Amino acid sequence: MEPHHRCGRPLGSLSAIAPVASAMALYHRVLETAVKNWSFSRKRIESFISLLAVALVFGGLTVGRLDIGTINAMGPGFFPIVLSVALAGLAFVILLQPDADAEPSSLGDLRPFLAVVGGVVLFALAIRHIGLFPTTALAVITAATGNKDFSWPGVIVLGLCAGALCTLIFVYGLSLPIPAFRSPL
Amino acid sequence: MELLADLAFGFQTALSVENLIYCFVGVFLGTMIGVLPGVGSLAAIAMLLPITYYLDPTTAIIMLAGVYYGAEYGGSTASILLNLPGTPSNAVTCLDGYPMAQKGKAGVALMTTTIASFVGGTFGILMLTFLSPVVVDIALMMRPADYLILMLFGLLAAATVAPGSAVKGVSMAILGLLLGCVGLDVNSGMPRFTFGLADLYDGISVVVLAMGLFGIAEIITSVRTQTKAYKQKVSLRSMLPSRSEARRSLFPMARGAGIGGIFGPLPATGPSIAAFVSYAIEKRISKHPETFGTGAIEGIASPEASNNSAVQTAFIPTLTLGIPGTPAMAIILGALMIHGITPGPSIVERNPDLFWGLIASFWIGNILLLVLNIPLVGIWVRLLNVPYRYLYPLIVGLICVGAYSIGYNSFDVLGVAAFGLIGYQMRRLGFQPAPLLMGFILGPMVEENLRRALLLSRGDFAPIVLRPMSYAFIAIIVIYGVWTLWARRRARVEMTQDRQIADTQT
């Protein structure tokens, strides 16, 4: 059965934020130049770059470390490298394929995105330190700020109710080993 | 007949107190989540999956299946009352359900969908009961190469039938296969794509993937939906259809159930396509096609019967072959594997209590759906009146707790956030998440069967491709691909026409 205890290092994962952020900034710089210089739609270029990047990452990680083997005796690297090559090929096909729906991908509002994902990340970071009730409440409150007509009192009440509900169901109802409250000190 | 004995055994299992309770819980929660717009049956199953970890495998699957067909039913409530489908397969119900509600006949519409769902479900369960042993017999004759071709066929179908560019669909399927490779390789013990993190040695959890890709990503895109409140009261008496309405819905229900039964077991087609096609067919053979889109009762009876029938029959390939036809089935398959059960032809022998108990529970759950939803309609209506901006943070909270309860590891919750980000990116760029999930679940199996097939044929691809079963599959792929594209284009053209008519009339 799957549920077994694993030690996580959530705060260690925080150190991944800096390189990820700079990678995203670089990505947008490349994207802007590409869109300006060629006549492809932004959506097509972004699709191409994303897909190619993924293929290169997987392929690169395979080639160095995993034994590819032969067709007769497939090694651990065989399947991944075949797939990575296929994916890279498809990336080029997408680049050259005319867009079915050429509507530009709308980044739209960053707000719902940041609020929801932020809420989840907050939950991950806080759960080991503060306990289920406060963590859930904070996560829900953060996610609720995504909708632009939100009111602080309403959102706080919602967070507290959500925290109470989850604590009741999961800690008391299902007896999961998660502390409802916990002090970070 | 042996079948009756097996069924009796199944009922014995399904009627145990624990299984009954969890069947009820599954159906209830599934319907409730299905009623909410923006969260579909897929997200419902993913969210409730962690609860089932502590249950007996049979009980767990009984509950998850209940969630699935409950959600498929619940989605029609939002379609009728708010013109917003609760699940994608209920989109067709909006076309005639919403006009009916606007004419004050919401009760009749809801009652009809309940009964149609029951009829469709019953037919689907009958097919499941009688066809499964037959499929098992066929499956026992299959070799690794046959499984490989079948799985690739399923993946290809999933990738190309999904809306959007077929090439993008295939690329997502391949990405799914790649993500399935993350973790320790079973054969060599080498870690693949783990970045040195011990948390990834077991691979990515299917729950994390599904919750992030389908749950969080969906929610991000729908945060700004404004829900219109539904003011009319739906009383019990208003739900009874007139005699002519009842008579007119009889045959469409039967036809819908049949169509759903055909599309359900086929890979990549599921409740959604079954619903589209039955609507299109109903309209085509109707004596008054112009009434469709204005509140024709045939227009909701047939699709609703169809999608519930498809939901039940989708279990046939999942249980007997171990090959999921749709993403929802893929998650249920994942759940089975988490509990240590490998679906396949031997499941009937090795776990007869699971197999027949599950089928028996479908009968029970189907009746529960009928009995439960007639009185509960009022509650669902009131639930829909809660503004979405209060509901979605609550759902986010539930997703977080659910993800954390997998292994009490924050890493899983971060994984959900990461896949939410990826899913959001994908949606923006026009990539479909469904083929990715299918590829992810099938990945290890495809690799394994490929390895075995190549070993058996000593590196030669000819015996793999040139088998009688392969010829049959390739022929099916061609016919199937052509026909599905034709049917979908047909159905979509009809739907846009109907939508235009409906829009000009409201």
Side-chain angles (χ1 to χ4, degrees), chain B residues 137-399:
Chain B
D137 288 334
I138 298 179
L140 287 169
M141 291 190 291
M142 286 169 61
R143 315 300 322 283
D146 299 312
Y147 272 105
L148 181 68
I149 300 268
L150 189 59
M151 285 183 201
L152 288 178
F153 168 49
L155 270 180
L156 194 68
T160 51
V161 163
S165 146
V167 178
K168 286 185 175 174
V170 175
S171 63
M172 284 297 101
I174 294 183
L175 180 57
L177 289 171
L178 273 171
L179 285 172
C181 294
V182 173
L184 288 180
D185 176 33
V186 202
N187 279 291
S188 60
M190 298 275 301
R192 297 196 288 191
F193 311 121
T194 57
F195 298 98
L197 295 167
D199 295 314
L200 281 178
Y201 276 6
D202 281 329
I204 301 174
S205 162
V206 61
V207 181
V208 168
L209 187 83
M211 281 197 195
L213 219 53
F214 291 92
I216 298 285
E218 269 306 330
I219 290 179
I220 298 177
T221 38
S222 56
V223 162
R224 271 172 292 141
T225 45
Q226 303 283 3
T227 43
K228 302 169 282 191
Y230 184 75
K231 296 288 194 298
Q232 260 185 61
K233 237 174 63 81
V234 179
S235 73
L236 217 55
R237 201 168 358 117
S238 77
M239 286 172 66
L240 288 175
S242 72
R243 193 177 291 168
S244 79
E245 283 167 336
R247 208 175 352 112
R248 274 162 47 202
S249 49
L250 212 56
F251 273 116
M253 281 191 209
R255 280 190 288 263
I259 294 173
I262 297 178
F263 279 101
L266 296 179
T269 56
S272 314
I273 300 210
F276 279 141
V277 172
S278 31
Y279 185 84
I281 291 186
E282 236 13 82
K283 187 164 173 203
R284 183 141 293 270
I285 65 178
S286 161
K287 295 197 188 72
H288 305 278
E290 68 285 351
T291 58
F292 277 72
T294 65
I297 204 165
E298 300 88 339
I300 54 174
S302 184
E304 282 298 316
S306 177
N307 81 7
N308 274 71
S309 172
V311 163
Q312 303 291 9
T313 50
F315 275 92
I316 298 179
T318 310
L319 289 176
T320 57
L321 294 173
I323 298 178
T326 63
M329 283 296 116
I331 296 194
I332 291 190
L333 191 73
L336 278 168
M337 296 201 286
I338 289 176
H339 283 278
I341 298 186
T342 329
S346 44
I347 200 181
V348 186
E349 285 167 26
R350 271 188 286 129
N351 301 93
D353 53 337
L354 178 87
F355 185 73
W356 294 109
L358 189 63
I359 295 184
S361 81
F362 287 169
W363 289 102
I364 299 175
N366 214 21
I367 297 179
L368 275 178
L369 258 185
L370 189 67
V371 163
L372 216 63
N373 283 298
I374 297 178
L376 284 183
V377 164
I379 300 189
W380 304 142
V381 174
R382 230 171 296 153
L383 186 66
L384 280 174
N385 278 332
V386 176
Y388 194 60
R389 64 176 190 270
Y390 292 132
L391 284 176
Y392 86 83
L394 186 62
I395 298 176
V396 172
L398 285 171
I399 289 182

Side-chain angles (χ1 to χ4, degrees), chain A residues 1-10 13 27 43 46-47 50-51 54 58 61-62 65-66 71-72 74-76 79-80 83-84 86-87 90 93-94 97 105-107 109 112-113 116-117 120-121 123-124 127-128 132 136 140 143-144 146-147 149 158 162 165-166 170 174 176-178, chain B residues 51 53-54 165 167-168 170-172 174-175 177-179 181 185 188 190-193 195 197 199 202 216 220 223-224 338-339 389-390 392-394 396-398 400-401 404-410 412-414 417 421 424-425 428-431 443 446-447 450-451 454-455 458-459 461:
Chain A
M1 289 243 310
E2 197 183 271
H4 55 269
H5 294 253
R6 289 181 285 184
C7 300
R9 300 180 325 260
S13 316
Y27 173 73
K43 189 172 178 183
E46 231 182 304
S47 312
S50 318
L51 218 51
V54 170
F58 275 104
L61 286 171
T62 318
R65 310 150 189 229
L66 295 172
I71 293 192
N72 262 353
M74 283 168 51
F79 202 52
L83 291 175
S84 307
L87 199 60
L90 283 179
V93 172
I94 289 178
Q97 183 192 50
S105 48
S106 52
L107 182 52
D109 233 334
F113 170 68
V116 175
V117 175
V120 179
V121 171
F123 185 98
I127 184 70
R128 295 220 117 189
L132 189 65
T136 311
V140 168
N147 187 305
D149 14 80
L158 182 67
L165 190 70
C166 286
F170 289 95
L174 294 173
L176 296 189
I178 310 177
Chain B
I51 299 183
Y53 285 156
Y54 299 93
S165 146
V167 178
K168 286 185 175 174
V170 175
S171 63
M172 284 297 101
I174 294 183
L175 180 57
L177 289 171
L178 273 171
L179 285 172
C181 294
D185 176 33
S188 60
M190 298 275 301
R192 297 196 288 191
F193 311 121
F195 298 98
L197 295 167
D199 295 314
D202 281 329
I216 298 285
I220 298 177
V223 162
R224 271 172 292 141
I338 289 176
H339 283 278
R389 64 176 190 270
Y390 292 132
Y392 86 83
L394 186 62
V396 172
L398 285 171
C400 288
V401 185
Y404 186 67
S405 67
I406 298 173
Y408 306 104
N409 187 351
S410 308
D412 293 325
V413 184
L414 284 177
L421 166 68
Y424 183 60
Q425 262 300 81
R428 273 184 56 221
L429 296 174
F431 288 102
V446 170
E447 186 178 11
L450 180 66
R451 175 173 285 126
L454 283 173
L455 257 166
R458 272 168 268 236
F461 277 102

Side-chain angles (χ1 to χ4, degrees), chain B residues 466-489:
Chain B
L466 302 176
R467 304 167 61 83
M469 267 199 185
S470 311
Y471 287 138
F473 284 138
I474 293 176
I476 294 179
I477 289 176
V478 172
I479 301 175
Y480 176 74
V482 168
W483 178 54
T484 313
L485 286 173
W486 174 81
R488 277 178 54 90
R489 196 171 291 136

